[in-house]
Amino acid sequence: MGTDIIEGCVIMEKSNGKALTVKKGEPTLVSPAEETATGLYFLSNLDQNIAVIVRTIYCFKSDEKGNENAADVIKDALRKVLVHYYPLAGRLTISSEGKLIVDCTGEGAVVVEAEADCKMEEIGDITKPDPETLGKLVYDIPGAKNILEMPPVVAQVTKFQCGGFVLGLCMNHCMFDGIGAMEFVNSWGETARGLPLTIPPFSDRTILKARSPPKIEYQHQEFAEIEDKSSTGDLYKDEMLYRSFCFEPDKLEKLKKTAMEDGVLEKCTTFEALSAFVWRARTKALKMLSDQQTKLLFAVDGRPKFNPPLPKGYFGNGIVLTNSICQAGELLDKPLSYAVSLIQEAIKIVTDGYMRSAIDYFEVTRARPSLSSTLVVTTWSRLSFHTTDFGWGEPVLSGPVALPEKEVILFLSHGRERKSINVLLGLPASAMNVFQEQMQI
């Protein structure tokens, strides 16, 4: 079985091509091991905007021990770690102000034990999100019509015939961003190994309360609705294809060089060059009209940018959305340095004042970011999901089950030294062929 291990994916030769069959047991509630605080738990305006369920999987396999007690170890550690992360044992509800808030009921997280009819290697190629196969490794609450009917954390432990197991998680983004989620899962692993928490959670989210009275000091075009002059919406009625493209270090260097060659930029990061490159490629692939406005939306980690910076272990969303906006014609006709400079300006604007203004903007307008004619770049390449260890060593692979929205492109670190970046996306079939041609650099 030829295997190339990467974070976010593992390429495997599918031995028999048969569909994965997973037998799931009854869901059980795992509540905190000790009495925890009750009452309503405040979620900030940065939490309100991204209340989507994020599904991830972690595959573990150890030569030293099998998977017989994997579910018990994971459930027992969850009971203990929920004492620190007690809001995760509660349920989402709507506050008197019409916003999401957590009712700390202590009910607990939902855990399901499952068994697969094959070895872990037989899952096949998961370099691209594959909701069809990988969706069987996470548990979706049957009949849940909205996020209020889904507990903040739902876990499934699937044992495979080879002695390996997969931990599949469905977690609500309103509870934490990537950094917060990673700290939670790593703390859960530390608890399973009998270790104290390296980074205990800081739970008070009221430090990001809106100002009174609110002060909106920026335009906040991330919320702007763009007219779809190019009818790209119609393209999406076509069959969707999911692909992953790997950018090795030399390819990334080449991109940065291309961005710098006309002397417009003083410097350029990997994120800036790659985001600019895929923004242009996708705009071309979707055949946007030259006067069509197009927006790039991405998150900036606000933790160090707040004044004072957010406390270590801040357990909540510390990310702020920022954006670049221009006409498709300009984006494609001008050199790569133009797109990079727009991205650099969008990053530079994120200061304490900008973030406070974004928090106040939501307070006044309750607006959600608009995704029309928009590309959302989500970068997981700096998150250390690969360090999670429940006692079976680090995951042989970890990554997303599916992309949350059709407008999202995901960057994942890749390779033994994690110096490469895997770009994951879905596009209508007609557009994917053009996008693929653009990737030849």
Side-chain angles (χ1 to χ4, degrees), residues 265 267-269 272 340-349:
L265 306 171
K267 57 185 192 315
C268 173
T269 67
E272 291 159 0
V340 171
S341 64
L342 290 180
I343 293 168
Q344 289 180 341
E345 284 162 27
I347 294 169
K348 209 162 95 190
I349 201 173

Side-chain angles (χ1 to χ4, degrees), residues 325-382:
I325 204 163
C326 69
Q327 290 195 330
E330 271 187 306
L331 184 67
L332 298 177
D333 296 341
K334 291 187 174 178
L336 186 62
S337 59
Y338 172 70
V340 171
S341 64
L342 290 180
I343 293 168
Q344 289 180 341
E345 284 162 27
I347 294 169
K348 209 162 95 190
I349 201 173
V350 181
T351 57
D352 181 74
Y354 176 86
M355 296 186 290
R356 300 273 174 199
S357 172
I359 289 168
D360 292 357
Y361 185 92
F362 182 83
E363 193 68 17
V364 172
T365 63
R366 298 296 167 88
R368 297 260 183 268
S370 164
L371 297 184
S372 58
S373 302
T374 298
L375 165 62
V376 183
V377 167
T378 297
T379 177
W380 285 13
S381 47
R382 295 193 212 87

Side-chain angles (χ1 to χ4, degrees), residues 64-238:
E64 280 82 66
K65 59 196 226 186
N67 58 16
E68 302 75 36
N69 64 344
D72 291 340
V73 168
I74 280 171
K75 285 199 284 194
D76 191 49
L78 182 56
R79 267 184 205 98
K80 293 172 184 161
V81 83
L82 283 176
V83 174
H84 302 277
Y85 282 91
Y86 67 91
L88 296 180
R91 294 295 178 263
L92 286 167
T93 185
I94 302 292
S95 72
S96 54
E97 295 175 346
K99 290 201 285 196
L100 285 173
I101 196 163
V102 181
D103 185 5
C104 295
T105 56
E107 274 172 73
V110 170
V111 180
V112 170
E113 294 181 45
E115 281 184 28
D117 66 341
C118 61
K119 295 177 179 169
M120 217 153 60
E121 302 88 81
E122 292 173 42
I123 303 174
D125 170 4
I126 75 161
T127 58
K128 51 179 188 280
D130 172 13
E132 188 55 37
T133 302
L134 305 184
K136 295 174 183 174
L137 301 173
V138 291
Y139 183 73
D140 289 309
I141 304 292
K145 289 184 280 299
N146 57 49
I147 55 163
L148 299 180
E149 295 177 12
M150 301 173 196
V153 174
V154 177
Q156 178 178 316
V157 180
T158 308
K159 292 196 240 186
F160 282 79
Q161 290 172 353
C162 55
F165 69 94
V166 172
L167 173 63
L169 296 178
C170 297
M171 305 199 289
N172 196 315
H173 208 312
C174 72
M175 299 309 291
F176 24 46
D177 54 22
I179 292 171
M182 187 184 75
E183 287 174 356
F184 163 66
V185 176
N186 286 347
S187 295
W188 185 359
E190 286 173 335
T191 305
R193 287 178 290 139
L195 303 172
L197 305 194
T198 308
I199 306 174
F202 178 91
S203 299
D204 182 12
R205 302 189 190 199
T206 60
I207 58 172
L208 293 184
K209 257 198 158 117
R211 293 170 291 196
S212 182
K215 277 205 302 234
I216 300 170
E217 297 164 305
Y218 291 82
Q219 237 189 322
H220 297 296
Q221 277 190 298
E222 60 270 33
F223 299 99
E225 189 73 43
I226 297 174
E227 187 194 341
D228 181 15
K229 289 182 181 176
S230 316
S231 308
T232 41
D234 294 345
L235 277 182
Y236 278 98
K237 292 174 184 153
D238 193 2

Side-chain angles (χ1 to χ4, degrees), residues 41-59:
Y41 175 75
F42 173 83
L43 296 180
S44 85
N45 287 352
L46 298 184
D47 299 317
Q48 304 291 328
N49 257 337
I50 33 184
V52 294
I53 303 292
V54 180
R55 296 170 173 85
T56 48
I57 57 169
Y58 303 81
C59 302

